[in-house]
Amino acid sequence: MSDDQAGGPALHPLLLRQLRKAGLTQSLPEEVERLVRLVDGAYREQDLERRRNTRATNLMAEEMTALAERIRVQAGQDPLTGAANRTLFLRRLGEAVEGLGEGGHLAVLLLDLDGFKLVNDSLGHGFGDRMLCEVCERLRNVAPADATLARHGGDEFTLLLPSVGRSSEAADVATRAIAALEQPFTIDGNEVLISASAGIALYPGDAPDMGALLVAADTAMYQAKDRGRGQYVFFSAAMNVRLHQRLLMKSRLSKALERGDFHLVYQPKTCMRTMGICGAEALLRWHDARLGDIPPGQFIPVLEEMGLIGEVGLWVVGQACRQMRNWRDQGLAPGRMAVNVSARQLRRPGLAGEVADIVRRAGISSADLEFEITESTIIQDTDLAIPLLNELRAMGIHIALDDFGTGFSSLGYLRRFPFDTIKIDKAFVDEIMVRPDDVAIIRAIIAMGHALDRRIVAEGVETAAQFKLLKELAVDEIQGYFVGRPMTADSLTLLLPRSS
Protein backbone atom coordinates (compact mmCIF):
# COMPACT_ATOMS: atom_id res chain seq x y z
CA MET A 1 0.00 0.00 0.00
CA SER A 2 1.56 3.31 -1.03
CA ASP A 3 1.74 6.50 1.11
CA ASP A 4 -0.84 8.32 -1.02
CA GLN A 5 -2.98 5.41 -2.08
CA ALA A 6 -6.51 6.27 -3.17
CA GLY A 7 -5.53 9.90 -3.31
CA GLY A 8 -5.76 10.22 0.51
CA PRO A 9 -3.24 11.81 2.85
CA ALA A 10 -0.08 9.99 3.78
CA LEU A 11 -0.51 7.42 6.52
CA HIS A 12 0.96 7.82 9.97
CA PRO A 13 4.67 6.82 9.75
CA LEU A 14 4.35 4.21 12.49
CA LEU A 15 1.34 2.58 10.80
CA LEU A 16 3.07 2.68 7.44
CA ARG A 17 6.11 0.85 8.85
CA GLN A 18 3.87 -1.81 10.36
CA LEU A 19 2.07 -2.35 7.01
CA ARG A 20 5.35 -2.64 5.16
CA LYS A 21 6.68 -5.08 7.72
CA ALA A 22 3.54 -7.17 7.21
CA GLY A 23 4.02 -7.07 3.42
CA LEU A 24 0.86 -5.05 2.82
CA THR A 25 2.30 -2.61 0.32
CA GLN A 26 -0.13 -3.24 -2.56
CA SER A 27 -3.72 -2.10 -3.02
CA LEU A 28 -6.02 -3.36 -0.31
CA PRO A 29 -9.70 -4.28 -0.40
CA GLU A 30 -12.04 -1.41 0.36
CA GLU A 31 -13.09 -2.83 3.73
CA VAL A 32 -9.44 -3.23 4.81
CA GLU A 33 -8.67 0.24 3.46
CA ARG A 34 -11.37 1.74 5.70
CA LEU A 35 -10.00 -0.14 8.69
CA VAL A 36 -6.48 1.14 7.95
CA ARG A 37 -7.77 4.70 7.82
CA LEU A 38 -9.50 4.25 11.20
CA VAL A 39 -6.27 2.98 12.77
CA ASP A 40 -4.40 5.86 11.15
CA GLY A 41 -6.83 8.33 12.74
CA ALA A 42 -6.33 6.71 16.15
CA TYR A 43 -2.54 7.05 15.83
CA ARG A 44 -2.89 10.74 14.95
CA GLU A 45 -5.32 11.42 17.81
CA GLN A 46 -2.82 9.78 20.18
CA ASP A 47 -0.06 12.06 18.87
CA LEU A 48 -2.26 15.12 19.35
CA GLU A 49 -3.15 14.12 22.92
CA ARG A 50 0.52 13.54 23.72
CA ARG A 51 1.39 17.03 22.46
CA ARG A 52 -1.44 18.53 24.52
CA ASN A 53 -0.24 16.76 27.66
CA THR A 54 3.31 17.93 27.06
CA ARG A 55 2.18 21.53 26.67
CA ALA A 56 0.00 21.29 29.79
CA THR A 57 2.84 19.76 31.80
CA ASN A 58 5.26 22.46 30.69
CA LEU A 59 2.72 25.18 31.48
CA MET A 60 2.03 23.74 34.94
CA ALA A 61 5.77 23.53 35.65
CA GLU A 62 6.18 27.19 34.69
CA GLU A 63 3.21 28.23 36.83
CA MET A 64 4.40 26.23 39.83
CA THR A 65 7.89 27.73 39.54
CA ALA A 66 6.39 31.23 39.44
CA LEU A 67 4.14 30.36 42.38
CA ALA A 68 7.08 29.07 44.42
CA GLU A 69 8.96 32.31 43.78
CA ARG A 70 5.96 34.44 44.76
CA ILE A 71 5.46 32.47 47.95
CA ARG A 72 9.17 32.63 48.76
CA VAL A 73 9.18 36.40 48.37
CA GLN A 74 5.97 36.84 50.36
CA ALA A 75 7.15 34.49 53.09
CA GLY A 76 10.10 36.76 53.87
CA GLN A 77 8.49 40.06 53.03
CA ASP A 78 5.92 42.24 54.75
CA PRO A 79 3.12 42.49 52.15
CA LEU A 80 2.38 46.15 52.89
CA THR A 81 5.78 47.82 53.12
CA GLY A 82 8.06 45.38 51.32
CA ALA A 83 10.38 45.27 54.34
CA ALA A 84 11.46 41.95 55.84
CA ASN A 85 8.80 40.31 57.98
CA ARG A 86 9.31 38.89 61.46
CA THR A 87 10.18 35.41 60.16
CA LEU A 88 12.98 36.68 57.92
CA PHE A 89 14.22 39.08 60.60
CA LEU A 90 14.56 36.27 63.14
CA ARG A 91 16.39 34.14 60.60
CA ARG A 92 18.83 36.97 59.84
CA LEU A 93 19.28 37.63 63.55
CA GLY A 94 20.05 33.96 64.17
CA GLU A 95 22.60 33.96 61.35
CA ALA A 96 24.22 37.11 62.72
CA VAL A 97 24.47 35.63 66.23
CA GLU A 98 26.01 32.40 64.92
CA GLY A 99 28.48 34.28 62.73
CA LEU A 100 29.58 36.75 65.40
CA GLY A 101 33.29 36.49 66.03
CA GLU A 102 34.97 36.54 69.43
CA GLY A 103 34.65 39.97 70.96
CA GLY A 104 32.09 41.04 68.34
CA HIS A 105 28.82 42.82 69.03
CA LEU A 106 25.55 43.32 67.20
CA ALA A 107 22.64 45.62 67.92
CA VAL A 108 18.86 45.44 67.58
CA LEU A 109 16.84 48.66 67.34
CA LEU A 110 13.10 48.49 67.91
CA LEU A 111 11.23 51.61 66.76
CA ASP A 112 7.60 52.39 67.52
CA LEU A 113 5.65 55.28 65.98
CA ASP A 114 4.25 57.67 68.59
CA GLY A 115 0.61 58.57 68.06
CA PHE A 116 0.06 56.42 64.99
CA LYS A 117 -3.26 55.11 66.32
CA LEU A 118 -4.62 58.66 66.19
CA VAL A 119 -3.59 58.90 62.53
CA ASN A 120 -5.47 55.69 61.70
CA ASP A 121 -8.53 56.75 63.68
CA SER A 122 -8.73 60.25 62.19
CA LEU A 123 -7.58 59.78 58.57
CA GLY A 124 -8.41 56.13 57.99
CA HIS A 125 -6.46 52.92 57.60
CA GLY A 126 -5.80 53.55 53.91
CA PHE A 127 -3.92 56.73 54.79
CA GLY A 128 -2.17 54.90 57.64
CA ASP A 129 -1.02 52.11 55.32
CA ARG A 130 0.48 54.59 52.85
CA MET A 131 2.16 56.36 55.72
CA LEU A 132 3.71 53.10 56.94
CA CYS A 133 5.14 52.56 53.46
CA GLU A 134 6.70 56.01 53.58
CA VAL A 135 8.08 55.32 57.08
CA CYS A 136 9.71 52.16 55.75
CA GLU A 137 11.28 54.03 52.83
CA ARG A 138 12.74 56.68 55.15
CA LEU A 139 14.19 54.02 57.44
CA ARG A 140 15.78 52.28 54.45
CA ASN A 141 17.50 55.52 53.51
CA VAL A 142 19.18 55.91 56.93
CA ALA A 143 19.98 52.24 57.60
CA PRO A 144 23.52 50.97 56.94
CA ALA A 145 24.00 48.77 53.87
CA ASP A 146 24.41 45.58 55.94
CA ALA A 147 21.37 46.23 58.16
CA THR A 148 18.11 44.28 58.00
CA LEU A 149 14.96 46.38 58.26
CA ALA A 150 11.76 44.56 59.24
CA ARG A 151 8.21 45.46 60.08
CA HIS A 152 7.84 43.89 63.50
CA GLY A 153 4.08 44.28 63.52
CA GLY A 154 1.56 47.12 63.42
CA ASP A 155 3.55 50.34 63.66
CA GLU A 156 6.72 48.76 65.04
CA PHE A 157 9.91 48.32 63.01
CA THR A 158 13.16 46.55 63.85
CA LEU A 159 16.67 47.18 62.58
CA LEU A 160 19.39 44.57 62.88
CA LEU A 161 22.92 45.95 62.84
CA PRO A 162 24.97 42.76 62.45
CA SER A 163 28.30 44.28 63.45
CA VAL A 164 28.85 47.31 65.68
CA GLY A 165 32.25 48.29 67.03
CA ARG A 166 30.87 50.75 69.58
CA SER A 167 27.45 51.42 71.04
CA SER A 168 27.67 54.91 69.57
CA GLU A 169 27.26 53.41 66.09
CA ALA A 170 23.82 52.11 67.05
CA ALA A 171 23.02 55.45 68.65
CA ASP A 172 23.93 57.26 65.40
CA VAL A 173 21.56 55.07 63.40
CA ALA A 174 18.76 55.62 65.94
CA THR A 175 19.33 59.38 65.86
CA ARG A 176 19.10 59.48 62.07
CA ALA A 177 16.01 57.27 62.04
CA ILE A 178 14.15 59.39 64.59
CA ALA A 179 15.11 62.61 62.77
CA ALA A 180 13.92 61.19 59.43
CA LEU A 181 10.53 60.30 60.90
CA GLU A 182 10.06 63.74 62.47
CA GLN A 183 9.85 65.31 59.00
CA PRO A 184 6.25 66.03 57.88
CA PHE A 185 4.35 63.32 55.98
CA THR A 186 2.23 64.74 53.16
CA ILE A 187 -0.28 62.36 51.57
CA ASP A 188 -3.28 63.45 49.49
CA GLY A 189 -2.82 67.00 50.68
CA ASN A 190 -2.85 66.02 54.35
CA GLU A 191 0.26 66.90 56.35
CA VAL A 192 0.95 64.80 59.44
CA LEU A 193 3.68 65.09 62.05
CA ILE A 194 4.66 62.10 64.17
CA SER A 195 7.63 61.01 66.25
CA ALA A 196 9.23 57.67 67.02
CA SER A 197 10.64 56.05 70.13
CA ALA A 198 13.47 53.53 69.87
CA GLY A 199 14.94 50.92 72.16
CA ILE A 200 18.44 49.56 71.59
CA ALA A 201 19.84 46.28 72.89
CA LEU A 202 23.30 44.86 72.31
CA TYR A 203 24.34 41.24 71.98
CA PRO A 204 25.88 39.57 73.89
CA GLY A 205 26.10 42.24 76.60
CA ASP A 206 22.38 42.78 77.21
CA ALA A 207 20.95 39.32 76.65
CA PRO A 208 22.09 35.69 76.34
CA ASP A 209 19.85 34.73 73.39
CA MET A 210 17.70 36.11 70.58
CA GLY A 211 14.43 36.00 72.48
CA ALA A 212 15.85 37.85 75.46
CA LEU A 213 17.53 40.36 73.11
CA LEU A 214 14.20 41.31 71.53
CA VAL A 215 12.60 41.58 74.97
CA ALA A 216 15.46 43.86 76.03
CA ALA A 217 15.01 46.11 72.98
CA ASP A 218 11.25 46.20 73.59
CA THR A 219 11.79 47.08 77.24
CA ALA A 220 14.13 49.92 76.29
CA MET A 221 11.65 51.21 73.69
CA TYR A 222 8.88 51.52 76.27
CA GLN A 223 11.31 53.29 78.57
CA ALA A 224 11.93 55.81 75.76
CA LYS A 225 8.18 56.41 75.51
CA ASP A 226 7.95 56.92 79.26
CA ARG A 227 10.70 59.52 79.06
CA GLY A 228 8.78 61.71 76.66
CA ARG A 229 8.92 60.00 73.25
CA GLY A 230 10.86 61.02 70.17
CA GLN A 231 14.09 59.59 71.57
CA TYR A 232 16.11 56.39 71.95
CA VAL A 233 17.15 54.51 75.06
CA PHE A 234 19.73 51.76 75.54
CA PHE A 235 18.70 48.74 77.55
CA SER A 236 20.18 48.60 81.03
CA ALA A 237 20.10 46.16 83.91
CA ALA A 238 17.63 48.41 85.70
CA MET A 239 15.06 47.54 83.05
CA ASN A 240 15.24 43.80 83.47
CA VAL A 241 11.89 43.31 85.16
CA ARG A 242 10.50 41.71 82.00
CA LEU A 243 13.56 39.51 81.77
CA HIS A 244 12.93 38.43 85.34
CA GLN A 245 9.38 37.55 84.32
CA ARG A 246 10.83 35.28 81.65
CA LEU A 247 13.00 33.58 84.24
CA LEU A 248 9.98 33.20 86.52
CA MET A 249 8.06 31.66 83.62
CA LYS A 250 10.85 29.12 83.14
CA SER A 251 10.76 28.26 86.82
CA ARG A 252 7.00 27.77 86.85
CA LEU A 253 7.02 25.79 83.58
CA SER A 254 9.55 23.32 84.95
CA LYS A 255 6.88 21.92 87.31
CA ALA A 256 3.73 22.78 85.34
CA LEU A 257 3.16 19.27 83.99
CA GLU A 258 3.73 17.75 87.41
CA ARG A 259 1.26 20.19 88.99
CA GLY A 260 -1.39 19.57 86.32
CA ASP A 261 -1.37 23.19 85.12
CA PHE A 262 -1.75 22.30 81.43
CA HIS A 263 -5.06 21.58 79.71
CA LEU A 264 -6.32 21.22 76.16
CA VAL A 265 -8.93 23.09 74.18
CA TYR A 266 -10.26 21.97 70.82
CA GLN A 267 -10.98 23.98 67.68
CA PRO A 268 -13.39 22.28 65.26
CA LYS A 269 -12.83 21.90 61.52
CA THR A 270 -15.73 21.95 59.07
CA CYS A 271 -16.03 19.86 55.92
CA MET A 272 -17.05 22.14 53.03
CA ARG A 273 -18.90 19.28 51.29
CA THR A 274 -21.13 18.17 54.17
CA MET A 275 -20.96 21.41 56.21
CA GLY A 276 -20.51 19.26 59.31
CA ILE A 277 -17.67 18.96 61.83
CA CYS A 278 -15.05 16.59 60.43
CA GLY A 279 -12.35 16.90 63.07
CA ALA A 280 -10.68 19.15 65.59
CA GLU A 281 -7.25 20.49 66.47
CA ALA A 282 -6.02 19.98 70.03
CA LEU A 283 -4.42 23.17 71.40
CA LEU A 284 -2.29 23.41 74.54
CA ARG A 285 -3.15 25.97 77.23
CA TRP A 286 -1.40 26.88 80.50
CA HIS A 287 -2.93 28.38 83.62
CA ASP A 288 -0.48 29.10 86.42
CA ALA A 289 -1.58 29.89 89.98
CA ARG A 290 0.87 32.83 90.17
CA LEU A 291 1.07 34.05 86.58
CA GLY A 292 -2.52 33.39 85.46
CA ASP A 293 -3.36 32.42 81.87
CA ILE A 294 -0.25 32.66 79.67
CA PRO A 295 -0.72 32.86 75.87
CA PRO A 296 0.72 29.89 73.92
CA GLY A 297 2.90 32.24 71.86
CA GLN A 298 4.73 33.12 75.08
CA PHE A 299 5.16 29.81 76.87
CA ILE A 300 5.57 27.31 74.01
CA PRO A 301 8.86 28.88 72.76
CA VAL A 302 10.11 28.71 76.36
CA LEU A 303 9.16 25.02 76.55
CA GLU A 304 11.18 24.53 73.35
CA GLU A 305 14.11 26.43 74.81
CA MET A 306 14.02 24.41 78.04
CA GLY A 307 13.85 21.09 76.17
CA LEU A 308 10.49 20.20 77.76
CA ILE A 309 8.42 20.25 74.58
CA GLY A 310 9.02 16.54 73.91
CA GLU A 311 7.59 15.43 77.24
CA VAL A 312 4.73 17.94 77.14
CA GLY A 313 4.03 17.06 73.50
CA LEU A 314 3.55 13.38 74.37
CA TRP A 315 1.18 14.42 77.16
CA VAL A 316 -0.84 16.37 74.58
CA VAL A 317 -1.02 13.35 72.26
CA GLY A 318 -2.14 11.17 75.17
CA GLN A 319 -4.83 13.58 76.34
CA ALA A 320 -6.12 14.07 72.79
CA CYS A 321 -6.31 10.31 72.16
CA ARG A 322 -8.13 9.67 75.43
CA GLN A 323 -10.62 12.41 74.58
CA MET A 324 -11.22 10.78 71.20
CA ARG A 325 -11.97 7.50 72.98
CA ASN A 326 -14.33 9.30 75.35
CA TRP A 327 -16.29 10.85 72.47
CA ARG A 328 -16.55 7.54 70.64
CA ASP A 329 -17.78 5.84 73.80
CA GLN A 330 -20.61 8.41 73.86
CA GLY A 331 -21.63 7.38 70.35
CA LEU A 332 -20.25 10.56 68.76
CA ALA A 333 -18.31 10.99 65.51
CA PRO A 334 -15.49 13.46 66.25
CA GLY A 335 -13.62 12.92 62.98
CA ARG A 336 -9.83 13.14 63.08
CA MET A 337 -7.84 14.75 65.91
CA ALA A 338 -4.96 17.03 64.86
CA VAL A 339 -1.95 17.64 67.10
CA ASN A 340 0.95 19.98 66.43
CA VAL A 341 4.42 18.42 66.38
CA SER A 342 7.58 20.52 66.74
CA ALA A 343 11.10 20.01 65.45
CA ARG A 344 12.32 18.95 68.88
CA GLN A 345 9.59 16.35 69.13
CA LEU A 346 10.61 14.88 65.77
CA ARG A 347 14.17 14.54 67.09
CA ARG A 348 12.96 12.64 70.16
CA PRO A 349 14.36 9.07 70.00
CA GLY A 350 11.69 6.40 69.74
CA LEU A 351 8.85 8.86 69.05
CA ALA A 352 6.97 6.50 66.70
CA GLY A 353 7.01 3.70 69.27
CA GLU A 354 5.82 6.03 72.05
CA VAL A 355 2.96 7.29 69.90
CA ALA A 356 1.97 3.74 68.93
CA ASP A 357 1.84 2.80 72.62
CA ILE A 358 -0.32 5.85 73.46
CA VAL A 359 -2.75 5.05 70.64
CA ARG A 360 -2.97 1.40 71.70
CA ARG A 361 -3.63 2.25 75.35
CA ALA A 362 -6.27 4.84 74.39
CA GLY A 363 -8.08 2.21 72.34
CA ILE A 364 -8.41 4.25 69.16
CA SER A 365 -7.19 3.79 65.60
CA SER A 366 -4.01 5.46 64.40
CA ALA A 367 -6.12 6.81 61.52
CA ASP A 368 -7.99 8.94 64.10
CA LEU A 369 -4.83 10.98 64.60
CA GLU A 370 -3.21 13.67 62.47
CA PHE A 371 0.18 15.31 63.10
CA GLU A 372 0.61 18.88 61.89
CA ILE A 373 4.18 19.76 60.86
CA THR A 374 5.29 23.26 59.83
CA GLU A 375 7.65 23.95 56.94
CA SER A 376 10.23 25.43 59.30
CA THR A 377 10.18 22.16 61.27
CA ILE A 378 10.90 20.15 58.11
CA ILE A 379 13.91 22.14 56.95
CA GLN A 380 15.64 21.88 60.31
CA ASP A 381 16.39 18.21 59.79
CA THR A 382 15.09 16.85 56.50
CA ASP A 383 17.09 13.61 56.64
CA LEU A 384 15.56 12.70 60.00
CA ALA A 385 12.05 13.94 59.21
CA ILE A 386 11.45 11.91 56.03
CA PRO A 387 11.91 8.39 57.47
CA LEU A 388 10.11 9.28 60.72
CA LEU A 389 7.09 10.73 58.95
CA ASN A 390 7.00 7.72 56.64
CA GLU A 391 7.03 5.46 59.70
CA LEU A 392 4.21 7.40 61.36
CA ARG A 393 2.16 7.37 58.15
CA ALA A 394 2.75 3.63 57.77
CA MET A 395 1.12 3.28 61.20
CA GLY A 396 -1.96 5.01 59.76
CA ILE A 397 -1.40 8.48 61.22
CA HIS A 398 -2.23 11.29 58.81
CA ILE A 399 0.40 13.99 58.20
CA ALA A 400 -0.51 17.62 57.53
CA LEU A 401 1.78 20.38 56.28
CA ASP A 402 0.87 23.31 58.53
CA ASP A 403 1.16 27.06 57.77
CA PHE A 404 1.93 26.44 54.08
CA GLY A 405 3.20 29.65 52.50
CA THR A 406 5.03 31.14 55.50
CA GLY A 407 8.33 29.29 55.23
CA PHE A 408 10.39 28.37 52.20
CA SER A 409 7.32 26.81 50.55
CA SER A 410 9.39 24.40 48.48
CA LEU A 411 7.16 22.48 46.13
CA GLY A 412 9.66 19.66 46.45
CA TYR A 413 8.43 19.05 50.00
CA LEU A 414 5.00 18.12 48.68
CA ARG A 415 6.59 15.38 46.58
CA ARG A 416 9.24 14.13 49.03
CA PHE A 417 7.18 14.10 52.23
CA PRO A 418 4.15 11.89 52.92
CA PHE A 419 1.63 14.70 53.41
CA ASP A 420 -2.07 13.92 53.36
CA THR A 421 -3.19 17.50 53.98
CA ILE A 422 -1.98 21.02 53.19
CA LYS A 423 -3.08 23.80 55.56
CA ILE A 424 -3.07 27.27 53.98
CA ASP A 425 -1.69 29.79 56.44
CA LYS A 426 -3.98 32.37 58.06
CA ALA A 427 -1.84 35.17 56.59
CA PHE A 428 -3.24 34.44 53.11
CA VAL A 429 -6.82 34.00 54.32
CA ASP A 430 -6.70 37.35 56.15
CA GLU A 431 -6.14 39.26 52.92
CA ILE A 432 -8.12 37.33 50.30
CA MET A 433 -10.97 39.84 50.22
CA VAL A 434 -8.67 42.76 49.38
CA ARG A 435 -5.58 41.26 47.72
CA PRO A 436 -6.11 39.55 44.34
CA ASP A 437 -2.58 38.11 44.54
CA ASP A 438 -3.49 36.14 47.66
CA VAL A 439 -6.59 34.74 45.93
CA ALA A 440 -4.43 33.67 42.99
CA ILE A 441 -1.92 32.00 45.31
CA ILE A 442 -4.63 30.14 47.22
CA ARG A 443 -6.26 29.02 43.96
CA ALA A 444 -2.90 27.70 42.71
CA ILE A 445 -2.20 25.91 46.01
CA ILE A 446 -5.63 24.26 45.89
CA ALA A 447 -5.19 23.15 42.27
CA MET A 448 -1.70 21.84 42.96
CA GLY A 449 -2.79 20.05 46.14
CA HIS A 450 -5.77 18.39 44.51
CA ALA A 451 -3.59 17.31 41.57
CA LEU A 452 -1.36 15.58 44.14
CA ASP A 453 -4.41 14.05 45.88
CA ARG A 454 -3.95 16.17 49.02
CA ARG A 455 -6.78 17.65 51.10
CA ILE A 456 -6.69 21.43 51.48
CA VAL A 457 -7.57 23.15 54.75
CA ALA A 458 -7.85 26.94 55.14
CA GLU A 459 -7.18 28.15 58.67
CA GLY A 460 -8.01 31.50 60.23
CA VAL A 461 -11.43 31.86 58.55
CA GLU A 462 -13.22 34.61 60.44
CA THR A 463 -15.91 36.10 58.16
CA ALA A 464 -18.82 34.95 56.03
CA ALA A 465 -17.21 36.59 52.97
CA GLN A 466 -14.01 34.56 53.45
CA PHE A 467 -16.08 31.40 53.91
CA LYS A 468 -18.04 32.01 50.70
CA LEU A 469 -14.92 32.70 48.62
CA LEU A 470 -13.05 29.67 49.98
CA LYS A 471 -16.06 27.47 49.20
CA GLU A 472 -16.02 28.79 45.62
CA LEU A 473 -12.28 28.01 45.44
CA ALA A 474 -13.04 24.37 46.40
CA VAL A 475 -11.21 24.23 49.74
CA ASP A 476 -11.93 20.88 51.42
CA GLU A 477 -12.07 22.02 55.05
CA ILE A 478 -11.97 25.27 56.99
CA GLN A 479 -10.94 26.18 60.51
CA GLY A 480 -11.31 29.48 62.31
CA TYR A 481 -13.49 31.65 64.50
CA PHE A 482 -16.24 31.73 61.85
CA VAL A 483 -17.00 28.05 62.45
CA GLY A 484 -15.75 27.72 66.00
CA ARG A 485 -13.32 29.18 68.51
CA PRO A 486 -11.08 26.92 70.60
CA MET A 487 -13.36 25.41 73.25
CA THR A 488 -13.41 22.88 76.05
CA ALA A 489 -14.08 19.22 75.36
CA ASP A 490 -17.51 19.53 77.02
CA SER A 491 -18.47 22.43 74.73
CA LEU A 492 -17.38 20.59 71.60
CA THR A 493 -19.27 17.49 72.75
CA LEU A 494 -22.52 19.40 72.28
CA LEU A 495 -21.65 20.14 68.63
CA LEU A 496 -20.41 16.74 67.47
CA PRO A 497 -22.64 14.58 65.26
CA ARG A 498 -23.83 11.16 66.35
CA SER A 499 -22.01 8.18 64.93
CA SER A 500 -23.97 6.52 62.12
Side-chain angles (χ1 to χ4, degrees), residues 13 23 76 87 92 108 120 154 219 237 266 268 284 302 304 346 352 418 476:
T87 299
R92 294 270 177 86
V108 168
N120 264 341
T219 302
Y266 304 89
L284 180 64
V302 180
E304 294 264 9
L346 288 181
D476 297 301

Side-chain angles (χ1 to χ4, degrees), residues 1 3 8-16 19 33-47:
M1 181 175 183
D3 295 5
L11 295 177
H12 189 281
L14 182 58
L15 176 59
L16 191 59
L19 290 172
E33 175 72 20
R34 284 199 299 269
L35 179 60
V36 168
R37 289 299 175 185
L38 287 173
V39 174
D40 179 69
Y43 272 118
R44 295 183 186 280
E45 183 62 30
Q46 188 178 41
D47 281 354

Side-chain angles (χ1 to χ4, degrees), residues 203-218:
Y203 178 85
D206 292 334
D209 55 49
M210 292 193 307
L213 186 65
L214 288 170
V215 172
D218 188 58

Side-chain angles (χ1 to χ4, degrees), residues 35-108:
L35 179 60
V36 168
R37 289 299 175 185
L38 287 173
V39 174
D40 179 69
Y43 272 118
R44 295 183 186 280
E45 183 62 30
Q46 188 178 41
D47 281 354
L48 180 60
E49 184 66 23
R50 187 181 296 112
R51 287 194 294 271
R52 287 173 181 159
N53 289 340
T54 300
R55 284 197 298 271
T57 301
N58 291 339
L59 181 59
M60 178 173 283
E62 292 172 3
E63 290 176 347
M64 290 301 100
T65 300
L67 171 63
E69 178 62 18
R70 288 168 67 186
I71 293 177
R72 185 194 66 78
V73 171
Q74 184 155 345
Q77 191 177 64
D78 174 59
L80 175 64
T81 64
N85 63 14
R86 183 179 176 88
T87 299
L88 178 58
F89 181 84
L90 292 175
R91 189 160 74 240
R92 294 270 177 86
L93 178 57
E95 292 167 354
V97 168
E98 290 182 5
L100 203 61
E102 186 175 352
H105 297 83
L106 62 81
V108 168

Side-chain angles (χ1 to χ4, degrees), residues 33 53 76 124 137 144 240 319 484:
E33 175 72 20
N53 289 340
E137 187 60 31
N240 61 6
Q319 287 291 103

Side-chain angles (χ1 to χ4, degrees), residues 380-415:
Q380 289 187 36
D381 200 337
T382 301
D383 293 338
L384 173 65
I386 291 176
L388 177 57
L389 295 182
N390 280 323
E391 185 178 2
L392 292 170
R393 195 164 185 263
M395 292 164 50
I397 296 172
H398 283 236
I399 308 296
L401 176 59
D402 197 12
D403 299 339
F404 185 73
T406 61
F408 291 92
S409 300
S410 170
L411 300 177
Y413 293 148
L414 302 182
R415 178 177 55 82

